[in-house]
Amino acid sequence: MTKNSNLLDVKLFKRLLEYVLIYRTVFVFVAISALLISIFSTLTPYLIKVAVDDYLALGKYQDFIFLIIIMFLNLMLTVLFMFLFSYYANLLGQKVIYDIRVQLFKHILDFKMSYFDKSSVGRLVTRAVNDMETIASIFSQGLFMIAADLMQMFLVIIVMLFLSWKLSLTIFLILPFILFATRKFQKSMKIAFNEVRSELANLNSFVQERITGMKIVQLFNREKIEYDNFVKINEKHKKAWLKTVWYNSIFFPIAELSTSVTIGLIVWFGGLNAVLENSSITLGTIFLFIQLSQMLFRPLLQIADKFNTLQMGMVAANRIFKIIDTRSSISDLGTKNEDLINGNIVFENISFSYVENEKVIKNLSFNIKNGEKIAIVGSTGSGKTTIVNLISRFYDAQEGSIFIANQNIKDYKLKSLRSRTALVLQDVFLFADTILNNITLWDLSISFESVVSAAKKIGIHDFIISLPNGYNYNVKERGVMLSQGQRQLISFLRAYIKDPSILILDEATSSIDSNSEELIQNATAKITQNKTSIIIAHRLSTILNSDRIFVMNQGVLVENGTHKELISKKDGYYKGLYEIQFKKEKATVVQSQG
């Protein structure tokens, strides 16, 4: 919402209407239903006036049954259109949020990784779920209800003035006071609802992070600390809501008192005039004005409540549109497809930083031939993973160019580039689904037979069928039903079945047992035939089997060559790294190779 005190952000409201007008037929039907409800509702008290003045007061009971039938039909029509109004207003709301939610999720799918680096997952979930439902209430409980109430109030005022301007003025004396109180109420509620939504996002973000990181919480005995932090955040959320409760507690009793005073004035003034000769104010008119005053003030009070709903929806819509308006996607202007992609990779004077003026890659240049197996080593923060991120175009370099198959990486369609690149990470992510779906990622072009065949080739078929339901075994959220090594094997099979031109293993064997590593190394030998492999290495065996080794230090390629070439360099960086990090494995590797 804008920072001004306007009850409604007109620009934002027009943007929402663009989604509504897609369903013009439903929109028009809801509007017509609202109008008819107003007419039928106003007609009901007028028919009661006719019954009192023209039948009961005069003792005419002969045609009274006909009036009762008309009143009954009017009531049935009112109920019918109330049902249709409620159903189609909610239907329209759900259609609108369906479209917005699809647009939002599609937009999020295209975001750069840097957006997720800086954004809270809990807040994004709040926007995609809670805020969406709040937008739906704009149409189901807010906008159309307000329109219906305003139409009813307009008709009531016309009927009042037509029957008795004197009694109308009696009611209108109280009206400015109620309008003033409503205006003040809305300003206060707008501020309060902004605070409520902000605190709700904080609460969701906190809970999501702590549940995801529950192992860390329990391992480091932070239960009491996190509990106390949650209590503080929850307290802020409660106080934000209590502000809205406080404003409601003040406003509605004042409004009810005003209504009661109005009824008293009608009875006093109308009764006084009714006893005078030639007065146009009859007993039926007094009954009618009491009901009309209720019909005038009650919608006004309901409008106040529905404005709360409308404002909450507008606040939610503003938050969602901010995400939709965020321009954080990787440019996808390339035209070349995957048929041209091979594993020949060239980095030409590449510089990159995640944070401005803090370069993690500095003027990096190298060439990888198609089918070559490259190991990248270096200390933490040296830029190894960044190289992988740039090849996959999770990020774009600020300086320099990357070429694959003699074409600038940006000339390829993003989907084509990634379809020919397979990435296996150390921290494997599996969806809460079956092993089969986690391998194929719901790609219907991959047959079950091809998955089984690939699993047999890399030696993990027996492990999979040993699980309950085999390939249909549900690994649960993030694959918690499998060990780290088993998750790695599933991830490797997922990459293997893709048959990529470029295979990237980002520390994929750094935290698994030797048996799993052996399986992966066997699979690596198969998949790397005539394919480029880039392996961020933590194990000596991976380095020794590589064609070349890239040695990174603080974003710079300091050495490049085979293990034999690099180890022979006196005072070389790799030699020092080898002595510290890899020499302990030497005896084991030599023994296994012997």
Side-chain angles (χ1 to χ4, degrees):
M1 302 291 287
T2 56
K3 294 182 180 180
N4 57 37
S5 60
N6 293 336
L7 292 182
L8 193 64
D9 187 326
V10 177
K11 185 177 180 181
L12 180 61
F13 186 71
K14 286 182 177 179
R15 186 170 182 179
L16 272 175
L17 283 182
E18 292 176 3
Y19 293 89
V20 175
L21 294 178
I22 296 174
Y23 307 99
R24 287 182 176 82
T25 303
V26 179
F27 176 78
V28 171
F29 183 80
V30 171
I32 293 174
S33 297
L35 176 63
L36 292 175
I37 290 171
S38 302
I39 294 173
F40 295 138
S41 298
T42 307
L43 184 60
T44 298
Y46 184 80
L47 290 174
I48 294 176
K49 172 194 178 300
V50 173
V52 173
D53 289 344
D54 297 347
Y55 291 88
L56 297 180
L58 301 177
K60 294 181 179 180
Y61 305 111
Q62 185 175 2
D63 298 325
F64 192 59
I65 187 67
F66 177 71
L67 183 62
I68 292 176
I69 293 173
I70 294 176
M71 293 175 66
F72 178 77
L73 290 175
N74 182 72
L75 177 62
M76 290 297 100
L77 288 172
T78 303
V79 171
L80 173 63
F81 280 99
M82 280 184 174
F83 163 74
L84 294 175
F85 173 84
S86 177
Y87 176 81
Y88 283 102
N90 279 276
L91 176 66
L92 182 59
Q94 290 301 318
K95 285 179 176 290
V96 168
I97 66 168
Y98 171 85
D99 292 343
I100 298 176
R101 185 183 283 121
V102 168
Q103 183 184 5
L104 175 67
F105 190 72
K106 184 178 184 299
H107 194 61
I108 290 175
L109 288 175
D110 293 332
F111 276 161
K112 297 178 182 178
M113 289 298 109
S114 57
Y115 180 87
F116 300 103
D117 294 340
K118 301 173 184 177
S119 302
S120 164
V121 175
R123 286 181 179 272
L124 289 175
V125 171
T126 300
R127 302 293 174 262
V129 181
N130 300 68
D131 284 351
M132 281 296 178
E133 292 303 322
T134 307
I135 290 178
S137 65
I138 291 178
F139 306 100
S140 60
Q141 303 171 36
L143 175 65
F144 293 119
M145 291 291 188
I146 291 173
D149 288 342
L150 287 174
M151 281 188 283
Q152 178 176 302
M153 291 169 63
F154 178 73
L155 288 175
V156 164
I157 291 172
I158 291 177
V159 173
M160 282 181 172
L161 292 172
F162 177 77
L163 292 175
S164 174
W165 65 268
K166 293 180 180 180
L167 280 179
S168 299
L169 288 179
T170 303
I171 296 174
F172 296 161
L173 286 174
I174 306 297
L175 193 58
F177 175 75
I178 295 181
L179 289 173
F180 174 77
T182 302
R183 173 74 173 180
K184 297 293 290 184
F185 175 67
Q186 292 307 317
K187 286 183 178 181
S188 300
M189 290 299 285
K190 176 181 177 180
I191 297 172
F193 280 135
N194 271 293
E195 188 174 345
V196 166
R197 301 308 300 176
S198 178
E199 293 301 334
L200 177 62
N202 290 335
L203 185 64
N204 284 349
S205 179
F206 182 90
V207 172
Q208 188 272 333
E209 285 183 349
R210 269 58 185 183
I211 291 177
T212 302
M214 189 57 68
K215 280 186 178 180
I216 300 300
V217 171
Q218 294 182 357
L219 182 62
F220 288 89
N221 297 317
R222 289 186 57 86
E223 293 92 339
K224 180 65 169 59
I225 296 173
E226 298 301 343
Y227 172 78
D228 291 340
N229 289 337
F230 176 79
V231 169
K232 291 177 183 177
I233 294 175
N234 199 31
E235 178 70 18
K236 290 181 180 179
H237 181 255
K238 182 191 73 174
K239 286 182 178 179
W241 265 114
L242 285 178
K243 283 186 181 179
T244 68
V245 174
W246 170 249
Y247 295 140
N248 278 287
S249 300
I250 294 175
F251 174 73
F252 286 103
I254 292 175
E256 189 65 31
L257 177 63
S258 302
T259 304
S260 300
V261 170
T262 302
I263 293 174
L265 289 174
I266 293 172
V267 173
W268 171 76
F269 183 77
L272 187 63
N273 280 268
V275 298
L276 298 177
E277 294 184 3
N278 300 321
S279 174
S280 62
I281 301 177
T282 63
L283 183 61
T285 302
I286 294 175
F287 277 116
L288 173 61
F289 267 77
I290 291 174
Q291 289 183 293
L292 290 180
S293 67
Q294 295 291 309
M295 294 180 65
L296 181 62
F297 290 156
R298 190 183 301 114
L300 187 59
L301 302 182
Q302 290 175 345
I303 285 175
D305 190 41
K306 289 161 188 171
F307 254 115
N308 298 342
T309 301
L310 180 60
Q311 286 180 340
M312 286 192 72
M314 295 296 284
V315 169
N318 185 56
R319 294 177 186 275
I320 289 171
F321 286 138
K322 279 184 178 178
I323 298 177
I324 292 177
D325 292 339
T326 299
R327 294 293 170 258
S328 184
S329 58
I330 294 288
S331 62
D332 190 13
L333 304 177
T335 58
K336 300 185 182 301
N337 58 40
E338 62 268 20
D339 294 338
L340 301 175
I341 297 176
N342 60 39
N344 189 47
I345 303 172
V346 176
F347 271 50
E348 190 175 277
N349 302 319
I350 291 293
S351 293
F352 175 80
S353 59
Y354 294 102
V355 179
E356 191 173 358
N357 298 324
E358 295 183 15
K359 290 184 178 181
V360 293
I361 294 291
K362 305 167 186 175
N363 197 34
L364 179 63
S365 297
F366 61 75
N367 179 37
I368 300 176
K369 298 177 181 178
N370 185 38
E372 197 172 16
K373 185 189 297 183
I374 300 297
I376 304 179
V377 300
S379 59
T380 301
S382 60
K384 305 186 299 295
T385 298
T386 301
I387 293 174
V388 171
N389 289 334
L390 293 175
I391 292 174
S392 302
R393 285 201 74 195
F394 292 139
Y395 302 86
D396 278 335
Q398 286 89 14
E399 299 176 26
S401 301
I402 301 174
F403 298 90
I404 293 181
N406 300 319
Q407 295 286 340
N408 191 302
I409 196 171
K410 295 181 180 180
D411 292 339
Y412 294 107
K413 296 177 183 176
L414 198 58
K415 183 178 180 180
S416 297
L417 173 68
R418 291 175 178 169
S419 69
R420 302 304 303 147
T421 305
L423 176 61
V424 180
L425 301 171
Q426 178 182 3
D427 183 18
V428 177
F429 185 90
L430 298 181
F431 295 95
D433 208 316
T434 64
I435 287 179
L436 179 62
N437 285 336
N438 270 288
I439 294 169
T440 64
L441 294 179
W442 303 276
D443 186 346
L444 299 180
S445 66
I446 302 175
S447 66
F448 175 72
E449 291 74 17
S450 64
V451 172
V452 173
S453 175
K456 289 179 178 178
K457 287 180 181 178
I458 66 174
I460 70 170
H461 174 71
D462 293 339
F463 139 65
I464 295 176
I465 62 173
S466 69
L467 298 171
N469 298 322
Y471 286 87
N472 291 316
Y473 179 65
N474 194 312
V475 300
K476 304 301 181 183
E477 187 174 1
R478 299 185 67 87
V480 295
M481 302 303 292
L482 301 177
S483 69
Q484 174 70 16
Q486 290 171 332
R487 291 198 296 271
Q488 283 287 4
L489 290 170
I490 297 300
S491 178
F492 198 87
L493 178 56
R494 181 161 63 193
Y496 183 51
I497 201 75
K498 193 176 182 180
D499 190 26
S501 298
I502 302 171
L503 172 66
I504 302 172
L505 301 182
D506 188 354
E507 304 181 4
T509 62
S510 63
S511 59
I512 60 176
D513 55 62
S514 57
N515 181 56
S516 297
E517 182 186 7
E518 184 179 353
L519 289 173
I520 289 179
Q521 287 178 349
N522 291 335
T524 302
K526 297 178 182 295
I527 196 173
T528 55
Q529 293 177 0
N530 301 318
K531 292 181 176 64
T532 301
S533 298
I534 301 174
I535 306 170
I536 296 179
H538 273 252
R539 300 208 178 197
L540 180 62
S541 56
T542 305
I543 295 174
L544 295 178
N545 292 329
S546 301
D547 296 320
R548 279 192 297 159
I549 301 169
F550 288 175
V551 187
M552 298 292 298
N553 182 37
Q554 297 183 357
V556 177
L557 182 61
V558 293
E559 293 177 345
N560 173 11
T562 65
H563 170 73
K564 186 175 181 180
E565 292 170 347
L566 296 177
I567 203 70
S568 64
K569 288 186 178 181
K570 185 179 180 181
D571 299 326
Y573 187 88
Y574 173 78
K575 184 176 182 179
L577 192 66
Y578 170 80
E579 294 288 338
I580 297 172
Q581 187 172 346
F582 300 114
K583 196 172 183 180
K584 294 179 182 179
E585 297 182 50
K586 184 176 181 181
T588 304
V589 173
V590 171
Q591 182 179 358
S592 63
Q593 290 179 342

